[in-house]
Amino acid sequence: GESVGLHLPTLSVQEGDNSIINCAYSNSASDYFIWYKQESGKGPQFIIDIRSNMDKRQGQRVTVLLNKTVKHLSLQIAATQPGDSAVYFCAENESGYSTLTFGKGTMLLVSP
Amino acid sequence: DAGVIQSPRHEVTEMGQEVTLRCKPISGHNSLFWYRQTMMRGLELLIYFNNNVPIDDSGMPEDRFSAKMPNASFSTLKIQPSEPRDSAVYFCASSLMGNEAFFGQGTRLTVV
């Protein structure tokens, strides 16, 4: 029979463009958020995190924005490169709990 | 540190056979997680340990699945008997005190 898989949202960009990947979370008590990158055949890799006492945090070429009012998280990648092509997951955590809850992921495709 | 180490990287087994997946977490981390990733369901938490003690195994699909953590540097996930629907990539991850989880490279399990 036909297999039905997750239909990941896909963002296609050109090399050099800026990319914005969005994530909505549901638990208003979550106070720690992480973005992971997963390349084909590899495990998720930590990119950047943010705690709820901040609304913006910057890393190298990446920026995470947190809007607690609407429970929204975004990852901005500046000057996107072909090596950025991967699936990106947001994850949330509530203080006192060790587990992370992962979103479904967004596939980023970067064309040279 | 070499990161989270999983073995084997690939496992192909026949239906009904016992499968054991192994994980060595990052030294000093006190939380260990087993995840399963499939196209259908994405990344699912199966079980997690805190200080070698299983805290939440509500994600374990059924009694055929079991996990142990005999010491701080080793964990196993066992499936007995295995079924074709268990085919997936199984990830182990570890973290310290609820901070970001670091993932291993995963074990790709195929049950035929």
Side-chain angles (χ1 to χ4, degrees), chain A residues 1-44:
Chain A
E2 182 180 17
S3 63
V4 179
L6 275 177
H7 291 284
L8 289 178
T10 299
L11 176 64
S12 297
V13 301
Q14 294 285 322
E15 182 178 2
D17 288 351
N18 295 331
S19 302
I20 300 176
I21 300 171
N22 296 303
C23 176
Y25 64 94
S26 56
N27 184 1
S28 56
S30 291
D31 54 7
Y32 179 53
F33 305 88
I34 305 174
W35 280 101
Y36 283 90
K37 172 186 180 183
Q38 187 176 22
E39 297 174 278
S40 180
K42 297 184 178 180

Side-chain angles (χ1 to χ4, degrees), chain B residues 34-99:
Chain B
W34 281 101
Y35 286 89
R36 177 172 69 175
Q37 188 174 41
T38 62
M39 285 298 295
M40 290 288 291
R41 297 176 178 269
L43 202 59
E44 303 174 277
L45 177 67
L46 300 178
I47 184 171
Y48 86 92
F49 295 82
N50 215 33
N51 295 320
N52 312 340
V53 176
I55 302 300
D56 183 358
D57 65 354
S58 59
M60 296 285 259
E62 48 198 275
D63 292 344
R64 297 184 297 107
F65 286 68
S66 62
K68 293 182 180 179
M69 192 166 185
N71 57 62
S73 59
F74 184 66
S75 177
T76 59
L77 177 68
K78 186 176 293 186
I79 308 173
Q80 165 64 16
S82 57
E83 297 182 3
R85 61 194 168 117
D86 301 330
S87 297
V89 181
Y90 290 81
F91 288 104
C92 176
S94 69
S95 73
L96 177 62
M97 301 292 289
N99 290 316

